[in-house]
Amino acid sequence: MNIRPWRRTELSFTAERSHSDPYTGVELWADFTHQPTGTVLRRPAFWDGGSTWRLRFASPAATGVWTWRTDGDVDDPGLIGLTGELTVVHAESARRFERHGFWRMSPGARSLVHADGTPALLVADTAWALPWRATPDDARVYAADRAAKGFNAVLLMSVQPDMHARGPRDRTQDEGFDVGFEDLKDGRLARLDPAYFQYLDGLLDILGEHDIVPVLQPVFQGFGWKGRSVAGTVVPPEEYERYCRYLVARYGASPVVYLVGADGSGEEPQIAAGGAEIEAWDAYGQPCGVHYRPHGRSRAHQGAGWLDFQWCQTGHSGEHLPERVADMRRNEPAKGVANGEPTYENSGTTGKGAGWWQGHEAWSNLCAGGTMGVVYGAGSLWQWRLHAEEGDHEPYFLAPGCGWREALDFEGSRYVGLIGRVLDGLPTTDLRPDWDRAMAGRALSSPDGTLYIAYVEHGGPLRLNPETAETFPRSFRVIDPRSGETVSQGVRPADELTVPDVGGAPRVFVCHDG
C-alpha cells in the first residue's frame, strides 16, 4: 500500500474469535519499522464495534518503507501476528500539517513547533460541547468561520461529562446530546459506544479539513456542561487511563493536542494516570497538558515527563489578569504556558469581555509569557446552545439572547484570530518576555535577539533603551492589531532610538532582522 507523509492511514482487522468485552478486555497494537533507518513506532489499535478493530498510522518519514506486525494479549489469528508493508510516496500538499508534520513542543519547551521545526502558535477557540451536540452541517459552518478568522485549534470535551444531565439522545432537539459511554452516568468508563466515536470521527475530519486541531479533553474535572456532577473526578483512574489510550489510538495519527486535565486542581488521580498513558502510547510526541480552575497555583505535575504545558484560567469576571500567566511561567522545569480560559465574550451579560477586550486580553497574555498561544471563548458557543431560546443552561455562562450560531459572530473572535496571522512566518520559537530593550510594558524577544514584538495598548512611538540599541533589530513593521493591517514599516537608522508611530490606538511593533 502506498501512503503519503503525515497523512493518516487506516488498517482494519476482523477477529476470528468471540470476545465478551472487546473494549476493556483486548489489547492490540502494531509495531511499524522503517527502512532504511530502522526507526520503530508502536501504535495501539482500537475496537470499532462487532468484530472490527482498526489501527491508524501516519508516516513521519518522507520516503522509505514501513513494515508492520500486530501483537497483543489475546489468542486470535484475526488480530495477532498479522503483517504488512506501507511505501511512503512523496506528494506536495496544501495542508500545513502534511507539509510540516504534527505539533510538538519546542527545544526550550515554551512554544509549539511542527515536526520539521517550523514555528507555530496555538490560536484556539472553546467549543467544548461540539463533539456531542453538533451535526456535520453545524461543524462545517463552525470550521469555515473559525478558519477564516485565523483559528487553528479548538478545545473539546470528548464526551458529555455530567453524570446527572438529562435530555433526549438527539443532537437536534432541545437539551439533547449524544452519549459516548453508556455507564458514564454511573461514574464509569467501561461501556463504550463505537457509533458515538464513528460520528465524532466525521466531525473531527471536518475540522481537520480546515487545519483546525482538536484539543481533546477526556472527561472534565470542573464545572462540566451544566454543573451536574462531572464524572472526571470519580471514574476509576484505570478506566480514565484506558480511555486516554483509546483516544491516542483513534485520533493520535492526526494532528491533536491532549488536554488530559481540565478545570480542576490538576491533582485528581485520573490526570496523572491518563497523562502517563498518553506518553506511553503516543508515538508522535504531540503536546499533552493540563488546564486549571480559576483558583490555585496551576503547577501540578510540573516535573512529570508526560506534561508539556500548563494552562491557567482567569475566570469569567471580565478582569485582565496577565500576572497569572507571568507567575506560571516562572515555574520550573520549563513548560508551555497559556491562559486557557479568559472571560468568555458576553458571558452572562451582554458586553462583558466584548469586542477589543478580547484582543487586548490575548496580546497581554501572550506578552506576559503565554507563548504557547492564545485561547478565546464565547458565551452560548461553548455549551453549543442550539438556539437563543433553548433553556436549562446556567445563565452565568450564556450570552443573553444567543445560540451558538449567533455567538460565532461576536466581534472579539476576530481580534484573537488575527494574532496568528500577524505573527505567521516569524521565528516565534521560545519567545521570552523582554522588559529591557525598549520602553514597552508588554514585549517579547527571540532567544537570539533578532525578533522583538511589543504590544502597546495606546500606540505612540517605541523608545529604545540606549544601552542595548546597537543590537536592536532595525527593520520594523507597525501593525494595527484590530485589523491586522501594517500602518507603517521601514528600516530604522542606526543612530535613531525611536520607532515612530502616532499614539491613540493599539499597536503591535514587529522588529525583525531576519
Side-chain angles (χ1 to χ4, degrees):
M1 178 190 298
N2 290 340
I3 64 173
R4 292 172 61 173
W6 293 111
R7 178 176 290 188
R8 185 183 71 207
T9 297
E10 183 172 284
L11 306 173
S12 297
F13 310 106
T14 302
E16 295 183 9
R17 296 176 180 167
S18 177
H19 300 280
S20 60
D21 199 352
Y23 171 63
T24 63
V26 175
E27 292 189 7
L28 179 67
W29 62 85
D31 287 326
F32 291 79
T33 304
H34 181 252
Q35 300 299 333
T37 66
T39 299
V40 178
L41 299 180
R42 176 168 288 185
R43 288 286 298 145
F46 61 92
W47 173 63
D48 204 29
S51 58
T52 300
W53 271 258
R54 303 190 192 278
L55 196 148
R56 292 172 175 172
F57 174 77
S59 173
T63 59
V65 175
W66 294 91
T67 58
W68 56 266
R69 179 182 179 87
T70 63
D71 202 352
D73 66 352
V74 293
D75 182 13
D76 189 324
L79 302 178
I80 304 300
L82 305 178
T83 61
E85 186 174 282
L86 303 172
T87 300
V88 187
V89 178
H90 177 71
E92 296 297 325
S93 176
R95 302 278 293 276
R96 179 182 293 262
F97 290 94
E98 291 182 9
R99 294 198 313 272
H100 301 298
F102 300 163
W103 281 341
R104 60 184 59 175
M105 299 309 295
S106 61
R110 292 300 194 182
S111 63
L112 293 175
V113 294
H114 288 271
D116 67 357
T118 300
L121 180 78
L122 176 126
V123 183
D125 190 22
T126 43
W128 290 113
L130 179 152
W132 29 275
R133 299 217 83 194
T135 66
D137 286 344
D138 293 341
R140 291 186 188 96
V141 170
Y142 173 82
D145 178 272
R146 275 359 197 189
K149 288 174 178 168
F151 288 89
N152 58 18
V154 56
L155 278 59
L156 303 172
M157 301 182 194
S158 64
V159 293
Q160 194 288 115
D162 290 359
M163 292 184 287
H164 298 153
R166 299 291 182 266
R169 196 159 173 167
D170 186 335
R171 296 166 181 263
T172 66
Q173 290 190 36
D174 283 12
E175 302 178 37
F177 57 92
D178 205 351
V179 175
F181 286 89
E182 303 294 348
D183 54 354
L184 185 143
K185 60 183 175 54
D186 303 316
R188 299 291 306 276
L189 298 175
R191 296 172 54 203
L192 177 141
D193 181 4
Y196 172 88
F197 291 95
Q198 291 160 5
Y199 197 102
L200 182 56
D201 285 355
L203 300 181
L204 298 192
D205 283 347
I206 291 167
L207 297 177
E209 289 164 6
H210 293 80
D211 277 342
I212 296 176
V213 178
V215 181
L216 290 178
Q217 207 292 311
V219 187
F220 227 57
Q221 283 84 28
F223 178 79
W225 183 33
K226 298 183 178 182
R228 296 177 182 169
S229 303
V230 289
T233 60
V234 300
V235 297
E238 62 272 17
E239 294 184 7
Y240 196 88
E241 175 184 280
R242 182 190 301 118
Y243 180 42
C244 287
R245 177 177 174 180
Y246 179 87
L247 291 175
V248 173
R250 187 149 202 144
Y251 301 112
S254 299
V256 68
V257 174
Y258 301 106
L259 191 60
V260 70
D263 207 28
S265 70
E267 300 290 354
E268 295 84 359
Q270 294 83 3
I271 293 174
E277 190 73 356
I278 290 169
E279 182 185 35
W281 286 98
D282 172 26
Y284 302 106
Q286 301 201 74
C288 176
V290 178
H291 161 54
Y292 292 87
R293 62 195 182 193
H295 52 289
R297 296 189 58 80
S298 306
R299 57 164 298 141
H301 312 292
Q302 187 76 22
W306 57 263
L307 187 129
D308 296 311
F309 63 84
Q310 304 275 39
W311 291 353
C312 67
Q313 177 187 166
T314 49
H316 302 279
S317 60
E319 295 178 275
H320 296 296
L321 300 169
E323 60 267 27
R324 294 291 301 275
V325 176
D327 184 60
M328 196 166 51
R329 184 184 170 88
R330 298 184 187 100
N331 295 332
E332 295 292 342
K335 304 289 181 179
V337 170
N339 184 350
E341 195 169 326
T343 296
Y344 289 156
E345 190 165 12
N346 295 313
S347 179
T349 303
T350 300
K352 184 196 288 183
W356 177 243
W357 189 100
Q358 295 289 338
H360 175 77
E361 171 77 355
W363 280 105
S364 297
N365 285 318
L366 181 72
C367 291
T371 52
M372 186 173 177
V374 294
V375 181
Y376 166 83
S380 292
L381 175 61
W382 76 262
Q383 306 98 320
W384 210 264
R385 190 187 195 190
L386 296 187
H387 56 83
E389 287 75 41
E390 186 188 26
D392 197 34
H393 291 281
E394 171 55 52
Y396 181 78
F397 292 116
L398 287 176
C402 295
W404 73 268
R405 183 60 190 84
E406 292 81 10
L408 274 186
D409 297 329
F410 290 167
E411 178 186 353
S413 63
R414 300 202 307 268
Y415 306 130
V416 179
L418 277 172
I419 291 177
R421 292 184 172 166
V422 168
L423 301 181
D424 189 35
L426 294 170
T428 55
T429 301
D430 290 325
L431 291 173
R432 56 196 180 197
D434 186 339
W435 300 280
D436 300 327
R437 304 173 74 196
M439 295 176 66
R442 302 178 181 93
L444 300 166
S445 279
S446 60
D448 65 1
T450 62
L451 173 65
Y452 179 90
I453 300 166
Y455 165 58
V456 182
E457 183 176 357
H458 302 294
L462 182 68
R463 294 181 172 83
L464 310 188
N465 179 354
E467 297 177 3
T468 59
E470 184 177 347
T471 61
F472 195 89
R474 292 178 57 197
S475 297
F476 68 88
R477 286 187 296 138
V478 183
I479 299 162
D480 182 345
R482 300 165 301 177
S483 66
E485 296 179 359
T486 297
V487 298
S488 65
Q489 59 185 327
V491 177
R492 176 181 55 84
D495 58 352
E496 176 60 57
L497 298 180
T498 300
V499 179
D501 178 62
V502 176
R507 290 289 185 260
V508 171
F509 292 80
V510 176
C511 304
H512 179 219
D513 288 339

